[in-house]
Amino acid sequence: MFYFGGDYNPEQWPEEVWAEDVALMRLAGVTAVTVGVFSWAMLEPTEGRYEFGWLDRVLDMLHDGGIRVVLATPTASPPPWFSLAHPDALPVTADGVRLTHGSRDTYCASAPAYRDACRRMARELAGRYGGHPALTMWHVHNEYGTRCHCDHVAEAFRRWLRARYGSLDRLNDAWTTAFWSQWYSDWAQVLPPRATQYLPNPGQVLDFRRFVSDELLAAYIEQRDVLRELSPGVPVTTNFALGGWVPIDHARWAREVDVVAIDHYPSATGPAAAEQIALAADLARSWARAAGVGWLLMEQAAGMVYTPGRILAKAPGELVRHSLGHVARGSQGAMFFQWRAPRGGAERFHSALVPHAGPASRVFQEACTLGTLLRDLSTVDGDVVADVAILWDAQAGWAGEGPGVPSEDVRYLDAIEAAHRVLYRAGFTVDFTAPDADLSGYRLVVVPSLYLVSDAAAARIGGYVASGGHLVVSFFSGIADVDGRVRLGGHPGAFRDILGVRVDEFRPLPPDEPVKLSTGDSGQVWSEHVQLIGATAVASYTGGVLDGSPAVTRHEFGAGVAWYLSTRLDDPAYGRLLADAARAAGAVPPQPGIEAVRRGSWLFLLNHSDEPVTVPAAGVDLVTGRPVDGTVEVPAGGVAVVRPPGFV
Ligand code: GLA
């Protein structure tokens, strides 16, 4: 059975509304709701005084209604009494401003009082509800991702650095502290990157990001271990927020959860939203698979997202299509933020499955359609298989955007999104893979702007190509070692031999000043002087300082092929190049012209266009219930899920 439901906050409503909630959940086919995410103040109104009566009634009521409960620990939003009692547990910005309670996420994850209070709360909840029959999953906290720069953090950062480097000498070397007289003679001098005069040390900034991810992970693990101890057998997770601002290495975190759970809110509408959904789902599936667990879309919007200055409303049909976009790519369901729209509070205009207008609304009707559909799809199972992969490494992204890089316009997420977007548009299903992963199952591996890479990972990538793999690497890759220090002898240091090129000069491009290429395409953002040391040029720069020098190259390396892109191609040209490389590598796109994803034996067809699309298929369309004999027509904005013939 798929998870279908959303964040449910009954504490915001009088109890009379609860019965209507359960009746409407049953009507919509809701199977699970997430309870308690922001309930700390209602569960512990003053320090040590717990009020669980209301939550007892909620869980019992949901159980009686046949709705499963994903029970959250409410530690993302400590109540006002907590901050007043423990002012040292309030976060401090890099500028030294200590924040005040009044919003959410206002805590320092390194403050002992906060960590103690979180463990206590997890213990109380697990002790009371660990065996409740409605409980299906634990949901620790909410979207870990806060930062603090206080003295507790300074101490924890130093502990983390000692464990990483062992000695100050090693740290001084890794951070190149001989530069600008930053050399440390005592651990006590080492601080988080607080506001300073000019550019901070890039090694310090990179390690702080790594530390923040590990420190928050340690806070999660403490709660998880309490829940596992008192509530054995119930899966534990936490919901991952996605986006460049999130200081979390999700691939690393995935190894510590029983289910990878993501929240996903596209920052665009229309087809661009569908592309973002495919990317988020492919990331989640890939993190989960590498960790040997499943994954679930824990939150998405039912309609409008409240984003200051921007309206991001969903078009009719998108609630269903977006949900199936995730399910097609392996999600164990489609959950929403939130069940019922609140009357007040900062997110009162954030959409909900039950909007302010109530159930007599388009959104609620679509929710009912989705509920029925997910029930009809309950036999869907199996994994998604891709023969093209994009290499993803959060830490390389952090390092490549650190202080003092040659171009602020080289953004890691942009590079990842562009590679995924053009492959998606060409019809390829894409996995993400990690620098330390086995690449041998992929026909083509794309490496976008991987600034930092270890020697071991570079060797593994080289071995993949040498034994017949196909590789496409884009500019600003292989530049630095694991400490973020530049590799010498010409760029892209770690990949020079594999790519058969040597770069002796970067020439980042100003905004809107593209360079022309011999193919008639143009390059943006970046250019560089490329020398061939074994590769052949397939496109050259035309005009300007780089006139005639190689822009795109191809190198036969061992039994494989390695391509290099020294500039950012526009989407159509990049798409052509990757599609050609993929086809040459033997990858076959399943079905261009529509979003087509095979999950196990089931073929998901999502039509994001305004025209019907006809696709070859055979079996039964589980959406219409009709047999499919050779072709299926997917209506404009519609979906089809074809079960193969002979399925019992
Ligand atoms: C996140 C949070 C929710 C809510 C939504 C709004 O996903 O987890 O509590 O704030 O964003 O988009």
Side-chain angles (χ1 to χ4, degrees):
M1 195 200 298
F2 283 117
Y3 283 90
F4 168 52
D7 278 36
Y8 177 41
N9 303 303
E11 70 274 26
Q12 296 171 5
W13 297 92
E15 294 205 17
E16 305 84 81
V17 179
W18 299 1
E20 191 201 16
D21 282 328
V22 176
L24 291 177
M25 285 174 194
R26 289 174 63 85
L27 187 63
V30 162
T31 61
V33 289
T34 307
V35 178
V37 178
F38 293 110
S39 303
W40 193 339
M42 312 308 274
L43 291 173
E44 192 183 3
T46 57
E47 185 147 21
R49 184 169 68 80
Y50 295 98
E51 285 193 1
F52 287 121
W54 68 269
L55 190 54
D56 293 350
R57 293 195 290 287
V58 167
L59 261 59
D60 291 348
M61 176 192 71
L62 289 166
H63 180 60
D64 291 346
I67 316 276
R68 294 178 294 171
V69 172
V70 177
L71 188 57
T73 64
T75 50
S77 201
W81 63 254
F82 176 82
S83 326
L84 291 169
H86 306 284
D88 66 312
L90 283 165
V92 174
T93 66
D95 292 327
V97 176
R98 194 177 282 283
L99 302 182
T100 309
H101 65 264
S103 181
R104 67 173 179 187
D105 292 305
T106 318
Y107 56 82
C108 165
S110 301
Y114 172 72
R115 293 278 276 269
D116 289 350
C118 292
R119 279 194 304 269
R120 265 200 317 274
M121 178 54 85
R123 191 161 285 283
E124 289 292 333
L125 286 168
R128 193 167 185 100
Y129 300 111
H132 196 285
L135 180 67
T136 183
M137 194 187 297
W138 287 105
H139 175 300
V140 175
H141 200 87
N142 189 64
E143 296 191 335
Y144 278 101
T146 47
R147 278 174 240 217
C148 173
H149 301 77
C150 75
D151 289 344
H152 290 309
V153 169
E155 242 176 77
F157 185 37
R158 286 192 285 264
R159 268 198 305 276
W160 184 93
L161 290 167
R162 275 177 191 269
R164 182 177 178 88
Y165 293 112
S167 72
L168 258 190
D169 281 350
R170 178 67 193 100
L171 178 138
N172 277 314
D173 185 41
W175 288 9
T176 321
T177 54
F179 190 82
W180 282 351
S181 183
Q182 292 172 351
W183 188 79
Y184 296 104
S185 55
D186 192 308
W187 281 102
Q189 299 157 4
V190 183
L191 295 170
R194 295 175 177 161
T196 190
Q197 164 62 19
Y198 181 45
L199 295 177
N201 181 300
Q204 179 197 20
V205 171
L206 172 60
D207 275 342
F208 189 66
R209 283 203 84 154
R210 288 168 164 155
F211 155 78
V212 170
S213 181
D214 286 356
E215 180 73 347
L216 293 172
L217 183 59
Y220 159 78
I221 286 174
E222 277 176 11
Q223 290 199 44
R224 180 202 65 189
D225 289 352
V226 169
L227 299 170
R228 279 188 180 165
E229 176 201 328
L230 297 179
S231 180
V234 178
V236 185
T237 192
T238 181
N239 50 339
F240 293 175
L242 306 182
W245 65 272
V246 184
I248 298 290
D249 184 344
H250 292 114
R252 159 95 189 79
W253 278 58
R255 293 182 225 139
E256 304 295 344
V257 296
D258 296 323
V259 176
V260 167
I262 62 161
D263 297 350
H264 191 245
Y265 298 91
S267 62
T269 55
E275 290 168 2
Q276 292 183 10
I277 287 165
L279 178 128
D282 288 343
L283 273 173
R285 181 185 68 255
S286 304
W287 293 329
R289 185 188 294 152
V293 296
W295 78 273
L296 171 64
L297 172 68
M298 188 62 93
E299 283 185 31
Q300 63 176 324
M304 194 178 79
V305 179
Y306 173 73
T307 306
R310 259 193 319 173
I311 294 176
L312 289 171
K314 281 193 200 238
E318 283 186 333
L319 185 150
V320 170
R321 231 167 50 241
H322 287 182
S323 297
L324 287 204
H326 286 281
V327 172
R329 289 165 193 274
S331 175
Q332 296 173 350
M335 301 284 281
F336 289 79
F337 178 85
Q338 54 201 330
W339 165 249
R340 188 185 275 279
R343 300 194 64 183
E347 292 185 331
R348 64 203 176 287
F349 291 116
H350 193 294
S351 55
L353 293 171
V354 182
H356 290 138
S361 55
R362 182 187 61 76
V363 169
F364 186 73
Q365 292 315 309
E366 268 199 45
C368 293
T369 305
L370 178 60
T372 307
L373 194 50
L374 288 175
R375 198 193 52 216
D376 293 347
L377 296 182
S378 61
T379 52
V380 170
D381 198 7
D383 206 356
V384 174
V385 178
D387 44 17
V388 177
I390 296 174
L391 201 136
W392 162 277
D393 181 27
Q395 299 190 21
W398 299 340
E401 295 182 9
V405 290
S407 169
E408 302 278 310
D409 296 327
V410 178
R411 310 292 302 173
Y412 186 60
L413 216 48
D414 288 353
I416 291 286
E417 282 170 2
H420 188 273
R421 181 171 64 235
V422 300
L423 285 164
Y424 169 93
R425 288 181 188 169
F428 291 97
T429 303
V430 173
D431 276 350
F432 285 90
T433 186
D436 59 356
D438 173 14
L439 305 176
S440 60
Y442 297 109
R443 302 251 178 199
L444 175 72
V445 175
V446 183
V447 180
S449 299
L450 189 78
Y451 171 76
L452 170 155
V453 65
S454 70
D455 294 347
R460 203 170 298 114
I461 292 168
Y464 161 74
V465 182
S467 54
H470 289 229
L471 183 77
V472 177
V473 175
S474 70
F475 59 92
F476 213 46
S477 289
I479 309 292
D481 63 17
V482 276
D483 294 327
R485 290 178 307 186
V486 178
R487 294 171 180 276
L488 303 179
H491 311 298
F495 299 135
R496 256 187 337 248
D497 294 343
I498 307 169
L499 298 170
V501 297
R502 179 176 180 276
V503 172
D504 64 353
E505 192 185 354
F506 293 150
R507 301 192 69 84
L509 299 168
D512 303 321
E513 286 188 29
V515 283
K516 287 203 169 50
L517 305 186
S518 54
T519 47
D521 300 312
S522 58
Q524 307 262 6
V525 173
W526 191 266
S527 66
E528 56 193 16
H529 185 244
V530 179
Q531 301 166 348
L532 302 176
I533 52 166
T536 42
V538 295
S540 311
Y541 291 102
T542 309
V545 177
L546 295 176
D547 189 41
S549 75
V552 180
T553 63
R554 182 177 182 280
H555 185 220
E556 291 183 8
F557 183 73
V561 177
W563 300 74
Y564 182 59
L565 271 77
S566 69
T567 184
R568 192 177 87 188
L569 299 176
D570 57 24
D571 277 1
Y574 194 18
R576 274 195 312 275
L577 188 135
L578 290 190
D580 287 351
R583 269 188 222 102
V588 185
Q591 183 62 53
I594 192 167
E595 181 171 344
V597 184
R598 208 169 269 291
R599 175 174 176 182
S601 308
W602 287 258
L603 177 64
F604 282 72
L605 299 163
L606 312 178
N607 184 359
H608 303 293
S609 78
D610 297 333
E611 301 291 331
V613 177
T614 300
V615 178
V620 176
D621 177 7
L622 297 177
V623 177
T624 58
R626 285 201 283 270
V628 176
D629 192 10
T631 58
V632 60
E633 186 184 273
V634 189
V639 292
V641 181
V642 182
R643 191 182 70 192
F647 181 89
V648 188

